[in-house]
Amino acid sequence: MGALVNVILPVFIVIGFGYLARWRSLLDDGQVDGLMRFTQNFAIPCLLFNAISSLDLAASYDWRLLVSFYAGAIAGFVAGLVGGRVLFGRAWEDSVAFGFSGLFSNLVLLGLPIMERAYGPDALMNNFVIISMHAPFCYGIGVTAMEIIRSRGEPARTLPLKVLKAMFSNALILGIALGFAVNVTNFPMPTVLSEALDLMVRAALPVALFGLGGVLVRYKPQGDMRAILFVSSLSLVLHPVITYGLGTAFALERDALRSAVICAAMAPGVNTYVFANMYGVAKRVSASVVLMATGLSILTIWGWLAVLP
């Protein structure tokens, strides 16, 4: 019960404040979108830049950590793709969107605050290692699969350009790429710039959580409830179970196992709806999954915190 009260509920209370503010029309959709644009295009890229630029790359990138997490993510994508097509008879394009919801976890807006409250700020290093590859990896798989399906009859040579354009128009990926560039080149950051970035970083997570609550108001649980529950289970059950099993089999050290499983247990992020909306497919299911899985994750995260060492 302590983990629920002290770790999980404060995070979801901030989300609830944002939900209440939008629901009671204290903020309108434009203002909520402005908050989310600030966090996703500016504050969170600054957070990721700071984290990646200061990582000890040689010591941090443990293949066991990455395989444990990303094997579970790929399993979620494949299960969503096949389930959407075989179990629910949806078009291939819709099925890719199902798979993307099983692939893309909310590592930043939910994963970082949950991890920090549970294990302290010093436990976040492995989270940032996973996050550094997350957006490029997930968008690479999702966009490639969608473009292959949509480009029936088009020359294959146009595919790489479409994938790269979709990936590098994402501010999170740009923040990560710049962080790697500074890290690898050992570029000396001016103190005044570092302090300015620190101010942006302090605002990133609380504003993002509040804005996420406002965004969730517009995502009504509509569509095929069986499909919504199925896709939600990919993120909340399948992904963390596979990650925990592989991490245990690989004898991941305690902190790495915690980070991998907590990241894997997060609900699908808002980017899953953005992806579906970008292609105009499975929008109702994707939006409903974001809302329902985020709510259900209060209980599933509580369970994983009890299981983890």
Side-chain angles (χ1 to χ4, degrees):
M1 185 62 72
L4 177 65
V5 173
N6 297 322
V7 176
I8 301 170
L9 287 185
V11 172
F12 282 88
I13 286 172
V14 176
I15 295 174
F17 285 151
Y19 191 99
L20 184 65
R22 177 63 195 97
W23 178 48
R24 301 305 299 170
S25 299
L26 301 176
L27 297 174
D28 60 31
D29 281 339
Q31 292 167 322
V32 170
D33 289 341
L35 287 176
M36 294 305 288
R37 279 195 295 270
F38 165 72
T39 57
Q40 293 191 318
N41 294 336
F42 299 98
I44 291 176
C46 288
L47 170 68
L48 298 179
F49 170 84
N50 268 7
I52 302 302
S53 64
S54 60
L55 271 181
D56 183 348
L57 297 180
S60 301
Y61 282 79
D62 185 338
W63 68 268
R64 298 171 301 167
L65 170 72
L66 297 174
V67 170
S68 298
F69 177 83
Y70 284 105
I74 291 172
F77 178 79
V78 172
L81 178 68
V82 174
R85 183 65 176 173
V86 175
L87 296 180
F88 301 103
R90 302 293 288 260
W92 279 114
E93 289 86 349
D94 286 1
S95 300
V96 172
F98 283 21
F100 195 78
S101 293
L103 175 71
F104 200 105
S105 304
N106 198 343
L107 304 190
V108 178
L109 302 194
L110 289 181
L112 289 179
I114 292 291
M115 190 72 186
E116 183 174 8
R117 293 195 63 82
Y119 303 114
D122 293 338
L124 295 178
M125 181 188 72
N126 290 304
N127 289 60
F128 284 120
V129 169
I130 293 171
I131 290 168
S132 70
M133 297 178 58
H134 190 244
F137 180 87
C138 294
Y139 274 99
I141 289 178
V143 171
T144 299
M146 187 68 80
E147 292 297 341
I148 288 173
I149 289 169
R150 289 166 61 93
S151 62
R152 302 179 183 95
E154 291 185 16
R157 65 178 179 273
T158 64
L159 180 61
L161 183 60
K162 290 181 179 179
V163 173
L164 290 173
K165 182 179 179 181
M167 288 172 59
F168 284 94
S169 61
N170 187 302
L172 302 181
I173 295 178
L174 293 176
I176 290 168
L178 289 173
F180 273 118
V182 168
N183 192 314
V184 170
T185 61
N186 201 25
F187 180 80
M189 291 287 292
T191 302
V192 64
L193 180 57
S194 295
E195 292 181 354
L197 288 172
D198 287 341
L199 289 174
M200 292 283 283
V201 167
R202 288 175 206 167
L205 293 181
V207 175
L209 289 172
F210 186 88
L212 176 60
V215 169
L216 290 177
V217 172
R218 69 186 70 163
Y219 295 162
K220 309 300 182 185
Q222 299 172 333
D224 186 341
M225 188 56 65
R226 294 187 307 120
I228 294 167
L229 291 173
F230 169 75
V231 175
S232 297
S233 71
L234 302 179
S235 281
L236 301 182
V237 180
L238 179 65
H239 191 175
V241 165
I242 291 175
T243 298
Y244 181 78
L246 288 175
T248 302
F250 291 151
L252 266 179
E253 55 95 13
R254 183 194 63 184
D255 289 345
L257 181 64
R258 287 171 171 173
S259 291
V261 175
I262 291 298
C263 285
M266 294 301 108
V270 173
N271 277 314
T272 58
Y273 174 73
V274 172
F275 178 84
N277 190 58
M278 180 170 68
Y279 286 105
V281 296
K283 292 190 289 185
R284 289 199 305 170
V285 170
S286 297
S288 299
V289 165
V290 173
L291 176 63
M292 183 165 292
T294 300
L296 291 173
S297 68
I298 296 175
L299 298 177
T300 57
I301 293 167
W302 184 21
W304 282 110
L305 288 174
V307 168
L308 291 169

